[in-house]
Amino acid sequence: MTNGSALFSIKRLLLGRPIPSYAALHERLSKKTGLAVLSSDALSSVAYATEEILRTLVLAGASAIWLATPIGAVIAGLLLVVAFSYRQTIFAYPSGGGAFIVAKENLGAPAGLVAAAALLIDYTLTVAVSVAAGTAAVTSAVPALQAWRLPLTLLFVALLAMGNLRGIRESGRIFAVPTYFFLVSLMLMIARGAWLAVRGEIPPPEVSDAAVATGVTTLTPFLVLRAFANGCTAMTGVEAVSNGVPAFEPPESRNAAATLLIMAGLCVTLFLGITLLARTFGIIPAHDETVISQLGRAVLGGRGLAYYLVQAATMLILVLAANTAYSDFPRLSSVVARERFLPRQFMNQGDRLAFTNGILVLSGLAALLLAIFRGDTHKLIPLYMVGVFVSFTLSQAGMVVHWRKERGRQWRLHAAVNGVGAVLTAVVMVVVAATKFHEGAWIVVVLIPILVLHFLAIRRHYAKVAQQLTLEGYVPPPRRHHIVIVPVGDLQRAVVEALRYAKTLSTDVRAIYVDVDPWATLDFHKKWEEWGQEIPLFVLSSPYRSLMEPLMGYIDEVTGGNEDTFLTVVLPEFVPAKWWHHLLHNQRALLIKGALLFRANTVVTSVPFHLRG
């Protein structure tokens, strides 16, 4: 089996058989699989949103924890407003693209690029935060794995990448079961907790030795705002469905809108349920155990089978929450690339109709973040929220302008819904940026404009390329002379074949030999008389044994900067049977190609000679 066929077989084993383009429609998502693929981020956020509220409030003492309930209610209401706002976006922009397309078309390209930058950063952080939080669920249940936290996070990223490279519909099948397992297990835990609370069978709260320090500061409006900002992590992922409308089965808009409303209802139910139960059962956040883990022990009566099932479900949904980003990051990248603000490679679909390059780039960036922050969820979350609400605000503001321009039926009502969403998310954006700036949010605030400048530079590059490649007004310059040179270092079969090929290109073929050893040159002359095929041989002197400098000097001499002279350099190359055999041979041809790559009117071509194994 050759190297190529072996690699191909491994690829087929890991990713599956290629999917033809005509089957793309059959790879779409139903509402059931769409909820698993595109809603896992939003659903999983409830697993740590309540904890982030409690971690902040408890700094002012255990007596401040009661504020988690009203803060949670405000966040739940805000989540519903944003969800209904995005439902309107789905019907107005069924082609997807989300905040980028909405902001670009209604607020201008700069606003669209800010939204795109914010979303791409947000999706990268979604993968990092979700995987880190999922790993925290594992280490809470099995403390012995604490030392393996970072390797576990990187392993989860690799598994997610592989699952998504297999294609949209297959990733939906893979991730649907864990999503619904999480929903059922958490609903049952909340129902049991509510039943115990109604019956007054609430066990006394346990305070861990590793509990977060309480009463270290006073309760101030800024602390409450900070708790609110942390709790707004429950809203992350709400926009994912509107970004991925084209991934749904027809009718795309209706299926996407229904999925969005189901997701919003489930998120609100789970978030409020966990928040109320945490308050009722007196849960105090700890450094080495999540709030969900503590709540599971309190409600389910210790570390029994039911507890471990809840922890397993939480771990799975948190890790698979990154799948939402794996769906939306590549798709958004392809949309931005279509507008020439990202490299065109992001538009390419792989064998399984997935945007392979986007998936690989996302995996690499997320793995880098996890390595930098050592897989710590609480260090990553402050970076997480700014981009989310920047895209929320720009998308909703863009929709207000959209309705004003369209002025269709009930446009004022539609504009009012999106207007309320824009104002609320703008307020939250300011609160999040102000309260989290010193905790690391400044990194995202700096990264967004840098990424926008990067987009603009790519667009300028493509514009310059298009301008230089256009056929409008183009008059081909005359080519009066074509010189072909063949660098040779020895006479063997590969060289003889290259010389034969060169003679088919031009009547002016020249062989170039660099003299670094007079005795070897003399021997070469004898062979050339027999095998040189009457091609003129030019011997270049090289007193310092350099091969490249004499060759480059000769090329400069024969071309002389003449635009009517076309030069082709033919390189004889032999191809070893095994990849590692390349290490045993010099790469002179590669050096010549690199040196000539940026020369005008110069073509470099290789004549391969394949060696047998």
Side-chain angles (χ1 to χ4, degrees):
M1 182 181 289
T2 64
N3 299 324
S5 60
L7 292 174
F8 182 80
S9 300
I10 294 172
K11 181 181 178 182
R12 292 283 73 82
L13 177 65
L14 295 176
L15 305 184
R17 294 182 178 276
I19 300 173
S21 298
Y22 65 78
L25 188 62
H26 302 291
E27 292 298 307
R28 302 284 189 89
L29 302 173
S30 64
K31 291 192 288 291
K32 182 172 67 175
T33 54
L35 185 66
V37 172
L38 296 174
S39 301
S40 54
D41 179 19
L43 291 172
S44 69
S45 298
V46 304
Y48 51 81
T50 298
E51 178 167 351
E52 292 304 313
I53 296 174
L54 295 176
R55 277 179 170 271
T56 305
L57 291 176
V58 80
L59 295 175
S63 60
I65 287 180
W66 71 272
L67 284 168
T69 303
I71 289 173
V74 173
I75 292 172
L78 182 60
L79 190 153
L80 290 174
V81 170
V82 172
F84 276 100
S85 299
Y86 270 109
R87 181 179 181 275
Q88 297 190 154
T89 304
I90 287 172
F91 287 107
Y93 290 90
S95 60
F100 168 64
I101 293 297
V102 174
K104 177 177 171 291
E105 290 191 2
N106 298 289
L107 303 177
L113 294 177
V114 170
L119 282 172
L120 292 175
I121 292 171
D122 173 47
Y123 292 143
T124 305
L125 287 165
T126 293
V127 176
V129 170
S130 299
V131 168
T135 306
V138 175
T139 55
S140 293
V142 188
L145 293 176
Q146 282 282 356
W148 295 88
R149 182 170 61 183
L150 181 58
L152 281 173
T153 61
L154 299 179
L155 174 63
F156 288 145
V157 169
L159 292 174
L160 283 164
M162 188 182 303
N164 280 275
L165 287 171
R166 294 185 65 88
I168 296 175
R169 189 170 70 168
E170 190 150 345
S171 69
R173 290 171 180 163
I174 294 171
F175 302 141
V177 172
T179 301
Y180 288 106
F181 175 38
F182 170 77
L183 286 172
V184 171
S185 60
L186 235 64
M187 287 290 190
L188 290 176
M189 185 185 77
I190 291 171
R192 174 167 173 77
W195 174 250
L196 291 176
V198 169
R199 297 184 60 179
E201 299 177 4
I202 300 174
E206 297 180 13
V207 180
S208 170
D209 294 336
V212 174
T214 62
V216 297
T217 187
T218 56
L219 184 64
T220 63
F222 182 81
L223 188 70
V224 175
L225 287 175
R226 186 175 157 200
F228 170 75
N230 288 343
C232 283
T233 53
M235 296 177 59
T236 56
V238 174
E239 81 292 341
V241 177
S242 71
N243 291 340
V245 177
F248 281 88
E249 294 175 345
E252 291 88 345
S253 295
R254 287 179 57 187
N255 286 331
T259 303
L260 176 62
L261 293 183
I262 293 170
M263 177 198 72
L266 290 171
C267 285
V268 168
T269 302
L270 294 176
F271 175 58
L272 288 179
I274 292 171
T275 302
L276 290 171
L277 284 183
R279 170 75 179 93
T280 303
F281 282 77
I283 302 297
I284 303 294
H287 291 295
D288 60 350
E289 186 177 8
T290 64
V291 165
I292 289 288
S293 175
Q294 294 180 69
L295 191 59
R297 287 193 294 104
V299 171
L300 302 173
R303 295 179 181 265
L305 176 61
Y307 163 81
Y308 282 108
L309 287 175
V310 169
Q311 284 302 104
T314 305
M315 180 273 292
L316 287 172
I317 192 64
L318 284 168
V319 172
L320 299 184
N323 193 55
T324 298
Y326 272 102
S327 177
D328 279 348
F329 182 100
R331 190 173 295 278
L332 176 59
S333 297
S334 72
V335 173
V336 177
R338 192 169 63 231
E339 300 287 335
R340 299 292 186 264
F341 290 110
L342 275 178
R344 294 176 180 176
Q345 291 88 329
F346 284 102
M347 293 190 292
N348 300 338
Q349 287 183 295
D351 291 348
R352 301 284 296 179
L353 297 178
F355 293 104
T356 306
N357 292 322
I359 292 171
L360 294 176
V361 169
L362 175 61
S363 301
L365 292 174
L368 180 62
L369 272 176
L370 287 166
I372 291 173
F373 290 94
R374 308 300 299 171
D376 191 325
T377 311
H378 306 297
K379 291 180 180 178
L380 285 164
I381 282 180
L383 283 69
Y384 190 27
M385 299 300 300
V386 176
V388 177
F389 284 95
V390 167
S391 62
F392 281 175
T393 303
L394 289 173
S395 176
Q396 301 311 308
M399 285 302 297
V400 173
V401 176
H402 168 80
W403 296 123
R404 289 188 62 186
K405 289 192 299 187
E406 293 291 321
R407 291 185 177 271
R409 189 168 63 90
Q410 295 184 322
W411 73 269
R412 287 186 175 85
L413 176 60
H414 294 315
V417 172
N418 287 121
V420 171
V423 171
L424 292 177
T425 53
V427 170
V428 176
M429 177 183 68
V430 173
V431 171
V432 168
T435 57
K436 293 177 173 288
F437 191 83
H438 69 286
E439 297 178 20
W442 64 269
I443 298 174
V444 178
V445 174
V446 171
L447 273 180
I448 289 176
I450 290 175
L451 200 52
V452 169
L453 293 175
H454 182 63
F455 292 154
L456 294 172
I458 292 173
R459 179 65 178 264
R460 283 195 300 270
H461 167 76
Y462 280 131
K464 289 179 180 178
V465 170
Q467 184 180 18
Q468 296 178 53
L469 295 180
T470 181
L471 292 174
E472 185 178 347
Y474 174 67
V475 178
R479 298 293 184 191
R480 291 192 294 272
H481 195 43
H482 181 197
I483 301 173
V484 178
I485 67 172
V486 185
V488 294
D490 192 9
L491 270 175
Q492 26 83 354
R493 291 188 183 184
V495 173
V496 171
E497 292 300 316
L499 292 170
R500 291 179 58 199
Y501 171 74
K503 291 178 68 175
T504 67
L505 301 178
S506 173
T507 57
D508 187 355
V509 180
R510 311 174 188 185
I512 308 299
Y513 180 84
V514 179
D515 179 8
V516 295
D517 182 350
W519 291 104
T521 303
L522 183 62
D523 183 58
F524 183 85
H525 270 292
K526 293 177 182 179
K527 289 183 180 179
W528 187 259
E529 292 176 1
E530 181 179 358
W531 297 101
Q533 306 175 47
E534 299 181 353
I535 294 174
L537 175 66
F538 293 80
V539 178
L540 307 179
S541 176
S542 180
Y544 297 104
R545 299 161 303 283
S546 170
L547 297 176
M548 295 296 294
E549 288 184 15
L551 178 62
M552 294 300 111
Y554 180 81
I555 290 173
D556 288 336
E557 180 182 339
V558 297
T559 55
N562 297 325
E563 293 188 1
D564 61 344
T565 299
F566 210 88
L567 177 69
T568 297
V569 181
V570 175
L571 300 175
E573 285 190 83
F574 56 84
V575 182
K578 298 183 182 299
W579 67 268
W580 58 269
H581 288 176
H582 285 281
L583 303 175
L584 305 178
H585 303 279
N586 64 53
Q587 303 298 321
R588 190 174 301 158
L590 187 62
L591 294 174
I592 295 174
K593 290 177 187 177
L596 297 176
L597 180 62
F598 299 102
R599 286 180 177 259
N601 302 327
T602 302
V603 175
V604 182
T605 184
S606 295
V607 179
F609 186 86
H610 293 270
L611 301 175
R612 293 187 295 272

